[in-house]
Coordinates of all heavy atoms in Angstrom, one line a residue:
M1 N -81.1 -125.6 115.7 CA -81.4 -126.2 117.0 C -80.3 -125.8 118.0 O -79.2 -125.3 117.6 CB -81.4 -127.8 116.8 CG -80.0 -128.4 116.3 SD -80.0 -130.2 116.2 CE -79.9 -130.7 117.9
T2 N -80.6 -125.9 119.2 CA -79.7 -125.6 120.3 C -79.5 -126.8 121.2 O -80.4 -127.6 121.4 CB -80.1 -124.3 121.1 OG1 -81.3 -124.6 121.8 CG2 -80.2 -123.1 120.3
I3 N -78.3 -126.9 121.8 CA -78.0 -127.9 122.7 C -77.4 -127.3 124.0 O -76.8 -126.2 123.9 CB -77.1 -129.0 122.1 CG1 -75.7 -128.4 121.7 CG2 -77.8 -129.7 120.9 CD1 -74.7 -129.5 121.4
C4 N -77.4 -128.1 125.1 CA -76.7 -127.7 126.3 C -75.2 -127.9 126.1 O -74.8 -128.7 125.3 CB -77.2 -128.5 127.5 SG -78.9 -128.3 127.9
L5 N -74.4 -127.1 126.9 CA -73.0 -127.2 126.8 C -72.6 -128.7 127.1 O -71.6 -129.2 126.5 CB -72.3 -126.3 127.8 CG -72.4 -124.8 127.4 CD1 -71.4 -124.0 128.4 CD2 -72.0 -124.5 126.0
D6 N -73.3 -129.3 128.0 CA -72.8 -130.7 128.4 C -73.2 -131.7 127.3 O -72.9 -132.9 127.4 CB -73.3 -131.1 129.8 CG -74.8 -131.1 129.9 OD1 -75.5 -131.0 128.9 OD2 -75.2 -131.2 131.1
Q7 N -73.9 -131.3 126.3 CA -74.3 -132.2 125.2 C -73.3 -132.1 124.1 O -73.4 -132.8 123.1 CB -75.7 -131.9 124.6 CG -76.8 -132.3 125.6 CD -78.2 -131.9 125.0 OE1 -78.4 -130.8 124.7 NE2 -79.0 -132.9 124.7
L8 N -72.3 -131.2 124.2 CA -71.3 -131.0 123.1 C -70.3 -132.2 123.1 O -69.7 -132.5 124.1 CB -70.6 -129.7 123.4 CG -69.6 -129.3 122.3 CD1 -70.4 -128.9 121.0 CD2 -68.8 -128.0 122.7
T9 N -70.2 -132.7 121.9 CA -69.2 -133.8 121.7 C -68.2 -133.3 120.6 O -68.5 -132.3 120.0 CB -69.9 -135.1 121.2 OG1 -70.6 -134.8 119.9 CG2 -71.0 -135.6 122.1
D10 N -67.2 -134.1 120.4 CA -66.2 -133.8 119.4 C -66.9 -133.7 118.0 O -66.6 -132.8 117.2 CB -65.1 -134.9 119.3 CG -64.1 -134.7 120.5 OD1 -63.8 -133.6 120.8 OD2 -63.6 -135.7 121.0
A11 N -67.8 -134.6 117.8 CA -68.4 -134.7 116.4 C -69.3 -133.4 116.2 O -69.3 -132.8 115.2 CB -69.3 -135.9 116.3
V12 N -70.0 -133.0 117.3 CA -70.8 -131.8 117.2 C -70.0 -130.6 117.0 O -70.3 -129.7 116.2 CB -71.8 -131.7 118.4 CG1 -72.6 -130.4 118.4 CG2 -72.7 -132.9 118.4
A13 N -68.9 -130.5 117.8 CA -68.0 -129.4 117.7 C -67.4 -129.2 116.3 O -67.3 -128.1 115.7 CB -66.8 -129.5 118.7
L14 N -67.0 -130.3 115.7 CA -66.5 -130.3 114.3 C -67.6 -129.9 113.3 O -67.3 -129.2 112.3 CB -65.8 -131.6 114.0 CG -64.5 -131.8 114.7 CD1 -63.9 -133.2 114.4 CD2 -63.5 -130.7 114.5
R15 N -68.8 -130.4 113.5 CA -69.9 -130.1 112.6 C -70.2 -128.6 112.7 O -70.5 -128.0 111.7 CB -71.1 -130.9 113.0 CG -72.3 -130.9 112.1 CD -73.1 -132.2 112.1 NE -73.4 -132.7 113.4 CZ -74.5 -132.3 114.1 NH1 -75.3 -131.4 113.6 NH2 -74.7 -132.8 115.3
S16 N -70.1 -128.1 113.9 CA -70.3 -126.6 114.1 C -69.2 -125.8 113.4 O -69.5 -124.8 112.7 CB -70.3 -126.3 115.6 OG -70.3 -124.9 115.8
L17 N -68.0 -126.3 113.5 CA -66.9 -125.6 112.9 C -67.0 -125.5 111.3 O -66.8 -124.4 110.8 CB -65.6 -126.4 113.2 CG -64.3 -125.8 112.6 CD1 -64.0 -124.4 113.2 CD2 -63.1 -126.7 112.9
V18 N -67.5 -126.5 110.7 CA -67.6 -126.5 109.2 C -69.0 -125.9 108.8 O -69.3 -125.8 107.6 CB -67.4 -127.9 108.6 CG1 -66.0 -128.3 108.9 CG2 -68.4 -128.9 109.0
S19 N -69.8 -125.5 109.7 CA -71.1 -125.0 109.4 C -71.0 -123.4 109.3 O -70.0 -122.9 109.5 CB -72.2 -125.3 110.4 OG -72.0 -124.5 111.6
K20 N -72.2 -122.8 108.9 CA -72.2 -121.4 108.8 C -73.0 -120.7 109.9 O -73.4 -119.6 109.8 CB -72.8 -121.0 107.4 CG -72.0 -121.3 106.2 CD -72.7 -120.9 104.9 CE -71.8 -121.3 103.7 NZ -72.5 -121.1 102.5
I21 N -73.2 -121.5 111.0 CA -74.0 -121.0 112.1 C -73.0 -120.8 113.3 O -72.3 -121.7 113.7 CB -75.1 -122.1 112.5 CG1 -76.0 -122.3 111.3 CG2 -75.8 -121.6 113.7 CD1 -76.9 -123.5 111.5
C22 N -73.0 -119.6 113.8 CA -72.2 -119.3 115.0 C -72.8 -120.0 116.2 O -74.0 -119.8 116.5 CB -72.2 -117.8 115.3 SG -71.4 -117.4 116.8
P23 N -72.0 -120.9 116.9 CA -72.6 -121.6 118.0 C -73.0 -120.7 119.2 O -73.8 -121.1 120.0 CB -71.5 -122.6 118.4 CG -70.2 -122.0 117.9 CD -70.6 -121.2 116.7
A24 N -72.4 -119.6 119.3 CA -72.7 -118.7 120.5 C -74.0 -117.9 120.3 O -74.7 -117.7 121.2 CB -71.5 -117.7 120.7
C25 N -74.2 -117.4 119.1 CA -75.4 -116.5 118.9 C -76.3 -117.0 117.8 O -77.4 -116.4 117.7 CB -74.9 -115.1 118.6 SG -74.0 -115.0 117.0
G26 N -76.0 -118.0 117.0 CA -76.9 -118.5 116.0 C -76.9 -117.6 114.7 O -77.6 -118.0 113.7
R27 N -76.1 -116.5 114.7 CA -76.0 -115.8 113.4 C -75.0 -116.5 112.5 O -74.4 -117.5 112.8 CB -75.5 -114.3 113.7 CG -76.6 -113.5 114.4 CD -76.1 -112.1 114.5 NE -74.9 -112.0 115.4 CZ -74.9 -111.3 116.6 NH1 -76.0 -110.7 117.0 NH2 -73.9 -111.2 117.3
R28 N -74.9 -115.9 111.3 CA -74.0 -116.5 110.3 C -72.5 -116.3 110.6 O -72.1 -115.2 111.1 CB -74.3 -115.9 108.9 CG -75.6 -116.4 108.3 CD -75.8 -115.8 107.0 NE -74.9 -116.2 105.9 CZ -75.0 -117.3 105.2 NH1 -76.0 -118.1 105.4 NH2 -74.1 -117.7 104.3
K29 N -71.7 -117.3 110.3 CA -70.3 -117.2 110.4 C -69.7 -117.8 109.2 O -70.4 -118.4 108.4 CB -69.7 -117.9 111.7 CG -69.9 -119.4 111.6 CD -69.2 -120.0 112.8 CE -69.2 -121.6 112.8 NZ -68.5 -122.1 111.7
R30 N -68.4 -117.7 109.0 CA -67.7 -118.4 107.9 C -67.5 -119.8 108.2 O -67.1 -120.2 109.3 CB -66.4 -117.7 107.5 CG -66.6 -116.2 107.1 CD -65.3 -115.6 106.8 NE -64.9 -116.0 105.5 CZ -64.4 -115.2 104.6 NH1 -64.3 -113.9 104.8 NH2 -64.1 -115.6 103.4
E31 N -67.6 -120.7 107.2 CA -67.2 -122.1 107.4 C -65.8 -122.2 107.7 O -64.9 -121.5 107.1 CB -67.4 -122.9 106.0 CG -68.9 -123.0 105.6 CD -69.0 -123.5 104.2 OE1 -68.5 -124.6 103.9 OE2 -69.6 -122.8 103.4
G32 N -65.4 -123.0 108.7 CA -64.1 -123.2 109.1 C -63.6 -122.2 110.2 O -62.5 -122.4 110.7
Q33 N -64.5 -121.3 110.5 CA -64.2 -120.4 111.7 C -65.1 -120.8 112.8 O -66.2 -121.2 112.6 CB -64.4 -118.9 111.3 CG -63.4 -118.5 110.2 CD -63.5 -117.0 109.9 OE1 -64.4 -116.3 110.4 NE2 -62.5 -116.5 109.1
S34 N -64.6 -120.7 114.0 CA -65.3 -121.2 115.2 C -66.6 -120.4 115.5 O -67.6 -120.9 115.8 CB -64.4 -121.2 116.4 OG -63.3 -122.0 116.2
L35 N -66.4 -119.0 115.3 CA -67.4 -118.1 115.8 C -67.6 -117.0 114.8 O -66.8 -116.8 113.9 CB -67.0 -117.5 117.1 CG -66.8 -118.4 118.3 CD1 -66.0 -117.7 119.4 CD2 -68.1 -118.9 118.8
C36 N -68.7 -116.2 114.9 CA -68.9 -115.0 114.1 C -67.9 -114.0 114.6 O -67.4 -114.1 115.7 CB -70.3 -114.5 114.2 SG -70.7 -113.8 115.8
P37 N -67.5 -113.0 113.8 CA -66.5 -112.0 114.2 C -66.9 -111.3 115.5 O -66.0 -111.0 116.3 CB -66.5 -111.0 113.0 CG -67.0 -111.8 111.9 CD -68.0 -112.8 112.4
Q38 N -68.2 -111.0 115.7 CA -68.6 -110.3 116.9 C -68.2 -111.1 118.2 O -67.7 -110.5 119.2 CB -70.1 -110.0 116.9 CG -70.6 -109.0 115.9 CD -70.9 -109.6 114.6 OE1 -70.4 -110.7 114.2 NE2 -71.6 -108.8 113.8
D39 N -68.5 -112.4 118.2 CA -68.2 -113.2 119.4 C -66.7 -113.5 119.4 O -66.1 -113.5 120.5 CB -69.0 -114.5 119.3 CG -70.5 -114.3 119.6 OD1 -70.8 -113.5 120.5 OD2 -71.3 -114.9 118.9
Y40 N -66.1 -113.7 118.3 CA -64.7 -114.1 118.3 C -63.9 -113.0 118.9 O -63.0 -113.2 119.8 CB -64.2 -114.3 116.8 CG -62.8 -114.7 116.7 CD1 -62.4 -116.0 117.0 CD2 -61.9 -113.8 116.1 CE1 -61.1 -116.3 116.8 CE2 -60.6 -114.1 116.0 CZ -60.1 -115.4 116.3 OH -58.8 -115.8 116.2
F41 N -64.2 -111.7 118.6 CA -63.4 -110.6 119.1 C -63.8 -110.2 120.5 O -63.2 -109.3 121.1 CB -63.4 -109.4 118.1 CG -62.5 -109.8 116.9 CD1 -63.1 -110.0 115.7 CD2 -61.1 -109.8 117.1 CE1 -62.3 -110.4 114.6 CE2 -60.4 -110.2 116.0 CZ -60.9 -110.4 114.8
R42 N -64.8 -110.8 121.1 CA -65.1 -110.6 122.5 C -64.3 -111.5 123.4 O -64.2 -111.3 124.6 CB -66.6 -111.0 122.8 CG -67.6 -109.9 122.3 CD -69.0 -110.4 122.4 NE -69.4 -110.7 123.7 CZ -70.4 -111.6 124.0 NH1 -71.1 -112.2 123.0 NH2 -70.7 -111.8 125.2
L43 N -63.6 -112.5 122.8 CA -62.8 -113.4 123.5 C -61.4 -112.8 123.8 O -60.9 -112.1 123.0 CB -62.6 -114.7 122.8 CG -63.8 -115.6 122.6 CD1 -63.4 -116.8 121.7 CD2 -64.2 -116.2 123.9
P44 N -60.8 -113.1 125.0 CA -59.5 -112.7 125.2 C -58.5 -113.4 124.2 O -58.8 -114.5 123.8 CB -59.2 -113.1 126.7 CG -60.3 -113.9 127.1 CD -61.4 -113.8 126.1
R45 N -57.5 -112.7 123.9 CA -56.6 -113.2 122.8 C -56.1 -114.7 123.1 O -56.1 -115.5 122.1 CB -55.4 -112.3 122.7 CG -54.5 -112.7 121.6 CD -53.3 -111.7 121.4 NE -52.3 -112.2 120.6 CZ -52.4 -112.3 119.3 NH1 -53.4 -111.9 118.6 NH2 -51.4 -112.9 118.6
P46 N -55.7 -115.1 124.3 CA -55.3 -116.5 124.4 C -56.4 -117.5 124.0 O -56.1 -118.6 123.5 CB -55.0 -116.6 125.9 CG -54.8 -115.2 126.4 CD -55.6 -114.3 125.5
L47 N -57.6 -117.2 124.3 CA -58.7 -118.1 123.9 C -58.9 -118.1 122.4 O -59.2 -119.2 121.8 CB -60.0 -117.7 124.6 CG -60.2 -118.1 126.1 CD1 -61.6 -117.8 126.6 CD2 -59.8 -119.5 126.3
R48 N -58.7 -117.0 121.8 CA -58.8 -116.9 120.3 C -57.8 -117.8 119.7 O -58.0 -118.6 118.8 CB -58.7 -115.5 119.8 CG -59.9 -114.6 119.9 CD -59.6 -113.3 119.3 NE -59.6 -112.2 120.2 CZ -58.9 -111.1 120.1 NH1 -58.2 -110.9 119.0 NH2 -59.0 -110.2 121.0
V49 N -56.5 -117.7 120.2 CA -55.4 -118.5 119.7 C -55.7 -120.0 119.9 O -55.5 -120.8 119.0 CB -54.1 -118.0 120.3 CG1 -53.0 -119.0 119.9 CG2 -53.8 -116.6 119.9
N50 N -56.2 -120.3 121.1 CA -56.5 -121.6 121.5 C -57.5 -122.3 120.4 O -57.3 -123.5 120.1 CB -57.2 -121.6 122.8 CG -56.8 -122.7 123.7 OD1 -55.7 -123.3 123.5 ND2 -57.5 -123.0 124.8
L51 N -58.5 -121.6 120.0 CA -59.4 -122.2 119.0 C -58.7 -122.7 117.8 O -59.2 -123.6 117.2 CB -60.5 -121.2 118.7 CG -61.6 -120.9 119.8 CD1 -62.4 -119.7 119.4 CD2 -62.4 -122.2 120.0
W52 N -57.7 -122.0 117.3 CA -57.0 -122.4 116.1 C -56.0 -123.5 116.4 O -55.8 -124.4 115.6 CB -56.2 -121.2 115.5 CG -57.2 -120.1 115.0 CD1 -57.5 -118.9 115.6 CD2 -58.0 -120.2 113.8 NE1 -58.4 -118.3 114.9 CE2 -58.8 -119.0 113.8 CE3 -58.2 -121.1 112.8 CZ2 -59.7 -118.7 112.8 CZ3 -59.1 -120.9 111.8 CH2 -59.8 -119.7 111.8
Q53 N -55.3 -123.4 117.6 CA -54.3 -124.4 117.9 C -54.9 -125.8 118.1 O -54.3 -126.8 117.9 CB -53.5 -124.0 119.1 CG -52.6 -122.9 118.9 CD -51.8 -122.5 120.1 OE1 -52.3 -122.7 121.2 NE2 -50.7 -121.8 120.0
K54 N -56.2 -125.8 118.6 CA -56.7 -127.0 119.1 C -57.6 -127.7 118.1 O -58.3 -128.7 118.5 CB -57.5 -126.8 120.4 CG -56.7 -126.2 121.6 CD -55.8 -127.3 122.1 CE -54.9 -126.8 123.3 NZ -55.7 -126.5 124.5
I55 N -57.7 -127.2 116.9 CA -58.6 -127.8 115.9 C -58.4 -129.3 115.7 O -59.3 -130.1 115.6 CB -58.6 -127.0 114.6 CG1 -59.5 -125.8 114.8 CG2 -59.2 -127.9 113.5 CD1 -59.5 -124.8 113.7
T56 N -57.1 -129.7 115.8 CA -56.9 -131.1 115.6 C -56.7 -131.9 117.0 O -56.6 -133.1 117.0 CB -55.6 -131.4 114.8 OG1 -54.5 -130.6 115.5 CG2 -55.7 -130.9 113.4
D57 N -56.7 -131.1 118.1 CA -56.5 -131.8 119.3 C -57.1 -131.0 120.5 O -56.6 -129.9 120.8 CB -54.9 -131.9 119.6 CG -54.6 -132.5 120.9 OD1 -55.5 -133.3 121.4 OD2 -53.6 -132.2 121.5
G58 N -58.2 -131.5 121.0 CA -58.8 -130.8 122.2 C -59.7 -129.6 121.8 O -59.9 -128.7 122.6
Y59 N -60.2 -129.6 120.5 CA -61.0 -128.5 120.1 C -62.3 -128.4 120.9 O -62.7 -127.3 121.2 CB -61.4 -128.7 118.6 CG -62.2 -127.6 118.1 CD1 -61.7 -126.3 117.9 CD2 -63.6 -127.8 117.7 CE1 -62.4 -125.3 117.5 CE2 -64.3 -126.7 117.3 CZ -63.7 -125.5 117.1 OH -64.5 -124.4 116.7
L60 N -62.8 -129.5 121.3 CA -64.0 -129.5 122.2 C -63.8 -128.6 123.4 O -64.6 -127.8 123.7 CB -64.4 -130.9 122.5 CG -65.5 -131.2 123.5 CD1 -66.8 -130.7 122.9 CD2 -65.6 -132.7 123.8
E61 N -62.7 -128.9 124.1 CA -62.4 -128.1 125.3 C -62.2 -126.6 125.0 O -62.6 -125.8 125.8 CB -61.2 -128.7 126.0 CG -61.4 -130.1 126.7 CD -61.5 -131.2 125.7 OE1 -61.0 -131.0 124.5 OE2 -62.0 -132.3 126.0
A62 N -61.5 -126.4 123.9 CA -61.3 -125.0 123.6 C -62.6 -124.2 123.3 O -62.8 -123.1 123.7 CB -60.3 -124.9 122.3
L63 N -63.5 -124.9 122.6 CA -64.8 -124.3 122.2 C -65.6 -124.1 123.5 O -66.3 -123.1 123.7 CB -65.5 -125.2 121.2 CG -66.8 -124.6 120.7 CD1 -66.6 -123.3 120.0 CD2 -67.5 -125.6 119.7
L64 N -65.6 -125.1 124.4 CA -66.3 -125.0 125.6 C -65.8 -123.8 126.5 O -66.6 -123.1 127.0 CB -66.2 -126.3 126.5 CG -67.2 -127.4 126.2 CD1 -66.8 -128.6 127.0 CD2 -68.6 -127.0 126.5
E65 N -64.5 -123.7 126.5 CA -64.0 -122.6 127.3 C -64.4 -121.2 126.7 O -64.8 -120.3 127.4 CB -62.5 -122.7 127.4 CG -61.9 -121.8 128.4 CD -60.3 -121.9 128.5 OE1 -59.8 -122.7 127.8 OE2 -59.8 -121.2 129.3
A66 N -64.4 -121.2 125.4 CA -64.9 -119.9 124.7 C -66.3 -119.6 125.0 O -66.7 -118.5 125.3 CB -64.6 -120.1 123.2
M67 N -67.2 -120.7 125.0 CA -68.6 -120.5 125.2 C -68.8 -120.0 126.7 O -69.6 -119.1 126.9 CB -69.4 -121.8 125.0 CG -69.4 -122.3 123.6 SD -70.3 -121.2 122.5 CE -69.0 -120.8 121.4
K68 N -68.1 -120.6 127.6 CA -68.3 -120.2 129.0 C -67.8 -118.7 129.2 O -68.4 -118.0 129.9 CB -67.5 -121.1 129.9 CG -68.2 -122.5 130.0 CD -67.3 -123.5 130.8 CE -68.0 -124.9 130.8 NZ -67.1 -125.9 131.2
T69 N -66.7 -118.4 128.5 CA -66.2 -117.0 128.6 C -67.2 -116.0 128.0 O -67.4 -114.9 128.5 CB -64.9 -116.9 127.9 OG1 -64.0 -117.8 128.5 CG2 -64.3 -115.5 128.0
L70 N -67.9 -116.4 127.0 CA -68.9 -115.5 126.3 C -70.3 -115.6 127.1 O -71.2 -114.8 126.8 CB -69.2 -116.0 124.9 CG -68.1 -115.8 123.9 CD1 -68.3 -116.5 122.6 CD2 -67.9 -114.3 123.6
G71 N -70.4 -116.4 128.1 CA -71.6 -116.5 128.9 C -72.7 -117.2 128.2 O -73.9 -117.0 128.4
T72 N -72.4 -118.1 127.2 CA -73.4 -118.8 126.4 C -73.7 -120.1 127.1 O -72.9 -121.0 127.3 CB -72.8 -119.1 125.0 OG1 -72.3 -117.9 124.5 CG2 -73.8 -119.7 124.1
G73 N -75.0 -120.3 127.4 CA -75.5 -121.5 128.1 C -75.9 -122.6 127.1 O -75.8 -123.8 127.4
R74 N -76.3 -122.2 125.9 CA -76.7 -123.1 124.9 C -76.0 -122.8 123.6 O -75.8 -121.7 123.3 CB -78.2 -123.1 124.7 CG -79.0 -123.6 125.9 CD -80.5 -123.7 125.7 NE -80.9 -124.8 124.8 CZ -81.1 -126.0 125.2 NH1 -80.9 -126.3 126.4 NH2 -81.4 -127.0 124.3
L75 N -75.7 -123.9 122.9 CA -75.0 -123.8 121.6 C -76.0 -123.9 120.5 O -76.8 -124.8 120.5 CB -73.9 -124.9 121.5 CG -72.6 -124.6 122.2 CD1 -72.6 -125.3 123.5 CD2 -71.5 -125.1 121.3
H76 N -75.8 -123.0 119.5 CA -76.5 -123.2 118.2 C -75.7 -124.1 117.3 O -74.6 -123.8 117.0 CB -76.7 -121.8 117.6 CG -77.5 -120.8 118.4 ND1 -78.8 -120.6 118.2 CD2 -77.1 -120.1 119.5 CE1 -79.3 -119.7 119.1 NE2 -78.2 -119.4 119.9
V77 N -76.3 -125.2 116.9 CA -75.6 -126.1 116.1 C -76.6 -126.5 114.9 O -77.8 -126.4 115.0 CB -75.2 -127.4 116.8 CG1 -74.2 -127.1 117.9 CG2 -76.4 -128.1 117.4
P78 N -76.0 -126.8 113.7 CA -76.8 -127.2 112.6 C -77.5 -128.5 112.9 O -77.0 -129.4 113.6 CB -75.8 -127.4 111.5 CG -74.4 -127.6 112.1 CD -74.5 -126.9 113.5
A79 N -78.8 -128.6 112.4 CA -79.5 -129.8 112.6 C -78.9 -130.9 111.8 O -78.3 -130.7 110.7 CB -81.0 -129.6 112.2
I80 N -79.0 -132.2 112.3 CA -78.5 -133.3 111.5 C -79.5 -133.6 110.4 O -80.7 -133.7 110.6 CB -78.4 -134.5 112.4 CG1 -77.4 -134.2 113.5 CG2 -77.9 -135.7 111.6 CD1 -77.4 -135.2 114.7
K81 N -79.0 -133.6 109.1 CA -79.9 -133.9 108.0 C -80.2 -135.3 107.9 O -79.4 -136.2 108.3 CB -79.2 -133.4 106.7 CG -79.0 -131.9 106.7 CD -78.5 -131.5 105.3 CE -78.2 -130.0 105.3 NZ -76.7 -129.8 105.3
G82 N -81.4 -135.6 107.3 CA -81.8 -137.0 107.1 C -82.4 -137.5 108.3 O -82.6 -138.5 108.7
Ligands
ZN101 ZN1 -71.8 -115.2 117.2

């Protein structure tokens, strides 16, 4: 499923982080990584570093900034089970 950037919450951001779906493109990524390698390496270095530094604090903002930099209007997120 996809959601608008303004529907992104902390809970959704963390669910995305531990999923295998890249939020920017919907392709596969590794669990615990924010993005697939293709999108990750399109980010300027400060934003890449930000994604790791902010996992416990302000991750939502770091992910939003990354999405805007990548020009992604909608996020691919795993569907809620059940
Ligand atoms: Zn991707």
Side-chain angles (χ1 to χ4, degrees):
M1 61 180 284
T2 61
I3 60 168
C4 294
L5 290 189
D6 60 10
Q7 291 178 296
L8 186 64
T9 61
D10 283 323
V12 175
L14 291 176
R15 190 149 48 83
S16 172
L17 180 63
V18 299
S19 79
K20 291 180 179 171
I21 301 170
C22 172
C25 67
R27 289 187 294 244
R28 284 177 70 84
K29 68 171 184 68
R30 298 181 79 132
E31 292 169 60
Q33 296 185 352
S34 299
L35 299 163
C36 69
Q38 288 88 340
D39 288 319
Y40 182 73
F41 287 108
R42 283 169 62 204
L43 290 174
R45 186 176 164 77
L47 283 187
R48 280 188 245 151
V49 172
N50 221 16
L51 285 170
W52 295 104
Q53 286 179 336
K54 298 289 182 65
I55 280 172
T56 55
D57 178 27
Y59 181 67
L60 175 64
E61 288 74 19
L63 185 61
L64 272 178
E65 194 177 359
M67 292 297 117
K68 286 172 185 168
T69 302
L70 291 168
T72 306
R74 293 186 72 82
L75 279 97
H76 298 262
V77 294
I80 301 167
K81 293 189 188 103

